[in-house]
Amino acid sequence: MMEHTPIKFRILEYIEEHPGSWTDQIVPELQEEYGMNDEHGRDMINYDVIELVSAGLIHEGDSRIDEDGHYKQGTLLTCYSPTHLGSEYLADLRTKVTPKEA
């Protein structure tokens, strides 16, 4: 796992490690990792995921409405997987990122 990296890199890594993950799986996990445990944090991470789609690094699959409110009632939940470009970008990024020295 790439630690101490910008959240978008971590989102890409998470989706590559867990292809087919849904919004309501990805966002809470990263909220915990980054200490963004409020509604604003949830929405910012979700926005970052959407930006990775627009950049072509991840792909949207199926979607459904959160009818029972376990994530955020009435919002769209989407399934995500990495694109080939996203996987290549992440592999390149991993060769450039070095762990922080103690």
Side-chain angles (χ1 to χ4, degrees):
M1 176 171 74
M2 295 187 302
E3 294 182 6
H4 310 293
T5 60
I7 194 164
K8 287 180 187 172
F9 297 154
R10 180 63 183 118
I11 292 168
L12 183 58
E13 180 182 51
Y14 182 92
I15 292 172
E16 185 181 64
E17 292 171 353
H18 305 93
S21 292
W22 288 79
T23 308
D24 57 342
Q25 297 168 310
I26 300 163
V27 173
E29 180 76 25
L30 295 176
Q31 278 184 282
E32 184 69 28
E33 285 183 30
Y34 282 79
M36 300 171 71
N37 295 316
D38 58 10
E39 289 181 10
H40 178 72
R42 177 196 62 210
D43 294 344
M44 292 304 298
I45 294 169
N46 187 54
Y47 185 75
D48 287 338
V49 171
I50 293 167
E51 286 185 330
L52 290 173
V53 171
S54 67
L57 299 176
I58 60 176
H59 167 75
E60 292 179 320
D62 292 336
S63 60
R64 58 182 159 77
I65 300 294
D66 182 6
E67 294 178 359
D68 63 9
H70 74 278
Y71 174 72
K72 184 178 178 184
Q73 189 165 12
T75 61
L76 186 66
L77 302 175
T78 306
C79 182
Y80 296 99
S81 296
T83 63
H84 182 67
L85 176 63
S87 294
E88 286 181 350
Y89 182 80
L90 189 58
D92 186 50
L93 180 65
R94 284 179 173 144
T95 63
K96 294 178 181 175
V97 173
T98 57
K100 286 188 169 188
E101 294 183 28

